[in-house]
Amino acid sequence: MAEEHQADPARSRVHGLAGSPLRGAYNHPPDTPTNLFVEHYGCGAVPYITTGRPVVSATTHDLDGGGVAGRTGQLAFWPVAEPERRVEVTLDDYSGRLWGSFPEGMVQDGGTYAFAARSDDGLAKSAWSEPCEFTADLVGPGQAPKVSSTVFGENAGPPGDGAQNRPGDFTFDALGDEQIVTFEYSGTGIQGGRVEADRPGGRATVVVTPAESALNDLQVVGIDRVGRRSPSTLYRYWVRTTQPSATSPHFEIGAPTDVELTAELDDAVAFGYRIDGGAEKTLPVGPDRKGVITLAFPVPTPDNWWHTLEVWTTNAQGERSGVLRTSFPVFQVPPFISPAPWRGVVGEKRVITFEPNYRNNVVSYAYRIGDGPEQVVPAAPDGTATVEHTPTVKGTTRIRAVSVNSSGIRSGVGDGRLLSEAPAPTVTSATYPGGYDNGGPGVEGDFTLSSPQLPVASYRYSFNDGPEQTVPAGPDGTATIRWAPAKPDYSTLTVVGVTASGFVTDSRSHSFWVKKLPPTATSPQFPEGGTPTARVGEPVRFVVTPALPGSTEVLWRDHATGAVLAVPVGADGTAVFDHTPSGRYFQLTFWTRKADGTVSGDLLKSYSF
């Protein structure tokens, strides 16, 4: 159809010939790959690579997406100086990017290499990309730099070279190793860093100012263009000290004390100093290179006796020497505190002595006992003082005190302790002395209470956690109570003493076991040592004789039913009753009781037909 008629539908034709299809295909050739990378560097971003088989990649582009036969690509590798060694590798194209590595053994230290990429969609190939070149640097610097100085001689000794806190030069030399392009240095008392060589394999000079005197060291390494480090060089040198010296006198709280300073440098014109990091102060240097500062510490520092003095000198140009840093204690001279007796009872008077701890001119003491207010006592001519104290509570009481001299300066705080006890009363009893088998139910016993250490006016007591009762103490401080247990087994008497002022002592527990007084039980059907004549279903007679004087009834329990029955004690002092057992074996328990409720303790007996 002529081109001028192709847009006219009236010119259309219809062909219906069976088996005559028209097939066609259309394909864009892939574009040239872009965005080439070596390792993780874009092409041209880094000229040196440090691995023997660097990974490379390139981005592919195709307007048609995947080709008919699937998309692949080629990477080509070669030494720039030997293009005839070119190696091409076909790789799958993973989502628009080719990945590969240089062939084993191709990349050698110092060589320059290139790679290129092209894309293949199965129908057409793109053009090769521009080559991406790099240089391989696989080996670091092999030798250590040389270090020299016109000021600080190597391995020199005292008195040293140069001067502390004064600048001096150091020269680093790569000795022609062209891999070294940078030097890195660090050392004692200097600010380290890096410096570029004047050329690959060349030299560099730095100026440092050592802050430390005596033996110093400087460590230097060479660094190549990719960051590899050479062996290190250690340069030792001795720096002449410039810091002044200072005497170390004995410091005492509140006492002005002279410290003599001596300058080390001949051109020093002034001392500078500060205490504990405070404000800087100055002092002229005398003709003999000396100066004196007077220090005083009038305020006690109980948590830290130590202070720091920093001293230096300056010359007429304002240049500073090294800094002397020294620490010294300021003795707080806390007083000695001696209670006598140190250990005693509540209400006992104590005498507390304060001593000056070798401090001179002590005129008084300010002290506090426990949580009480501060009090003041004048000192005797020998610097000591005494006070009296009577503890009213038990436990440890803290005593704190400071000495005050004639200038009104307080010492550090002295610390003392005294112990006050409130011993428990003692308990004695002939009838119930403690342990097992004491007295018996209803048997009265006397208990004597005493307080040999702490004078008391009365005693409070209770038996078996019952109601508390009070008994007054006699002139000798003792009291006697009489008590009869209402039952056998374990009992406890608890006692405290009470002083005239109402103070209560520690508690005393006096424990003992009350002996049982069980009754005896006989039966004519079960004679002792004889043959039983009891019959099943017939009553058995029991005769019970109390052992507890004054018993008015016998109580007995049948273990088969658990029932407890009472039988009065007759005029003959026994109780008689009949019991018909329900089986061929049975157990009965017997005990007696007085009218006041006192019980005897039980008797368990077993019977069988």
Side-chain angles (χ1 to χ4, degrees):
M1 182 180 291
E3 182 176 1
E4 64 269 20
H5 301 309
Q6 288 181 8
D8 183 1
R11 303 281 186 153
S12 64
R13 301 287 188 273
V14 177
H15 300 273
L17 298 178
S20 301
L22 178 67
R23 303 181 186 277
Y26 186 87
N27 179 60
H28 289 91
D31 293 334
T32 303
T34 61
N35 200 24
L36 275 63
F37 266 68
V38 183
E39 293 291 315
H40 54 280
Y41 301 106
C43 189
V46 60
Y48 301 100
I49 293 298
T50 61
T51 178
R53 292 199 67 193
V55 175
V56 302
S57 63
T59 300
T60 59
H61 310 275
D62 191 339
L63 291 177
D64 301 324
V68 173
R71 189 157 30 154
T72 59
Q74 288 81 44
L75 291 176
F77 309 95
W78 68 94
V80 172
E82 301 175 90
E84 69 276 7
R85 293 178 57 193
R86 179 185 178 108
V87 175
E88 294 184 6
V89 179
T90 298
L91 303 165
D92 289 331
D93 186 343
Y94 293 105
S95 301
R97 194 153 184 86
L98 292 172
W99 292 88
S101 297
F102 265 73
E104 183 74 37
M106 176 179 286
V107 177
Q108 300 295 319
D109 180 57
T112 301
Y113 301 88
F115 82 98
R118 72 177 178 182
S119 184
D120 185 347
D121 67 1
L123 297 176
K125 293 181 174 62
S126 74
W128 284 99
S129 68
E130 290 296 321
C132 178
E133 295 186 1
F134 63 90
T135 299
D137 190 342
L138 308 183
V139 180
Q143 62 180 346
K146 180 181 178 181
V147 180
S148 60
S149 174
T150 62
V151 177
F152 302 109
E154 185 174 13
N155 295 323
D161 302 320
Q164 180 187 12
N165 272 13
R166 300 288 173 87
D169 68 280
F170 287 95
T171 297
F172 312 139
D173 191 342
L175 301 175
D177 186 345
E178 293 189 357
Q179 289 206 78
I180 296 179
V181 296
T182 304
F183 299 98
E184 183 178 274
Y185 64 96
S186 61
T188 307
I190 66 169
Q191 182 72 37
R194 288 191 175 191
V195 60
E196 300 293 326
D198 57 359
R199 66 184 185 284
R203 313 170 92 190
T205 298
V206 298
V207 176
V208 301
T209 303
E212 303 295 333
S213 61
L215 183 62
N216 282 248
D217 62 68
L218 182 71
Q219 192 167 17
V220 183
V221 296
I223 301 176
D224 70 8
R225 55 201 171 191
V226 294
R228 284 194 171 91
R229 303 166 71 86
S230 75
S232 65
T233 296
L234 183 65
Y235 188 92
R236 296 183 183 276
Y237 59 101
W238 196 285
V239 179
R240 180 189 171 197
T241 183
T242 62
Q243 66 187 33
S245 60
T247 57
S248 300
H250 174 87
F251 285 90
E252 182 180 305
I253 187 73
T257 303
D258 291 340
V259 179
E260 184 179 83
L261 310 178
T262 303
E264 176 69 23
L265 297 177
D266 295 335
D267 63 350
V269 298
F271 293 103
Y273 69 95
R274 62 182 177 181
I275 302 294
D276 297 332
E280 295 184 2
K281 299 181 181 180
T282 59
L283 177 75
V285 175
D288 56 355
R289 297 194 302 178
K290 295 186 181 296
V292 175
I293 57 176
T294 301
L295 302 177
F297 301 89
V299 179
T301 52
D303 296 330
N304 183 11
W305 291 21
W306 289 84
H307 297 268
T308 300
L309 170 65
E310 296 174 276
V311 185
W312 60 92
T313 58
T314 55
N315 59 16
Q317 291 75 41
E319 296 174 324
R320 283 195 176 192
S321 70
V323 179
L324 168 70
R325 293 179 178 84
T326 181
S327 295
F328 55 89
V330 175
F331 293 97
Q332 309 294 292
V333 288
F336 297 130
I337 302 174
S338 305
W342 173 82
R343 183 173 187 169
V345 298
V346 174
E348 179 183 8
K349 183 173 67 176
R350 316 292 179 87
V351 176
I352 303 171
T353 302
F354 304 116
E355 297 178 88
N357 190 6
Y358 306 105
R359 191 183 190 198
N360 297 321
N361 302 319
V362 172
V363 297
S364 64
Y365 294 89
Y367 66 94
R368 177 177 283 117
I369 299 176
D371 296 328
E374 183 176 273
Q375 303 178 69
V376 177
V377 58
D382 64 354
T384 65
T386 58
V387 295
E388 294 181 348
H389 174 68
T390 301
T392 58
V393 295
K394 62 176 292 188
T396 299
T397 300
R398 185 181 182 187
I399 308 167
R400 289 162 291 175
V402 298
S403 63
V404 184
N405 65 12
S406 55
S407 300
I409 302 298
R410 290 189 168 208
S411 72
V413 180
D415 212 328
R417 300 285 192 279
L418 61 82
L419 178 64
S420 302
E421 299 174 315
T426 60
V427 178
T428 59
S429 175
T431 307
Y432 296 99
Y436 290 89
D437 293 335
N438 295 276
V443 178
E444 289 188 333
D446 289 336
F447 297 83
T448 300
L449 315 179
S450 62
S451 179
Q453 293 180 270
L454 185 63
V456 299
S458 62
Y459 298 93
R460 298 206 303 255
Y461 67 94
S462 67
F463 284 96
N464 300 324
D465 297 325
E468 190 175 69
Q469 302 179 65
T470 300
V471 59
D476 61 352
T478 67
T480 299
I481 56 177
R482 177 166 291 181
W483 179 77
K487 62 176 183 176
D489 299 330
Y490 185 78
S491 289
T492 299
L493 169 61
T494 304
V495 184
V496 296
V498 183
T499 67
S501 63
F503 181 79
V504 179
T505 70
D506 293 338
S507 175
R508 172 76 66 190
S509 291
H510 178 75
S511 299
F512 50 93
W513 286 82
V514 179
K515 184 170 59 176
K516 292 182 180 182
L517 296 177
T520 60
T522 61
S523 172
Q525 285 91 341
F526 289 94
E528 293 291 336
T531 302
T533 60
R535 296 289 183 269
V536 175
E538 297 180 359
V540 178
R541 173 151 294 188
F542 293 93
V543 179
V544 182
T545 304
L548 175 63
S551 294
T552 60
E553 59 182 350
V554 170
L555 295 97
W556 63 279
R557 178 172 60 242
D558 179 7
H559 285 235
T561 64
V564 176
L565 300 175
V567 180
V569 177
D572 62 351
T574 66
V576 180
F577 65 92
D578 293 333
H579 171 58
T580 302
S582 59
R584 61 179 298 274
Y585 173 83
F586 65 99
Q587 285 184 311
L588 300 181
T589 296
F590 309 91
W591 67 97
T592 65
R593 182 166 58 193
K594 297 172 59 174
D596 60 5
T598 302
V599 294
S600 64
D602 54 18
L603 169 69
L604 173 64
K605 298 199 71 172
S606 300
Y607 303 91
S608 63
F609 294 94

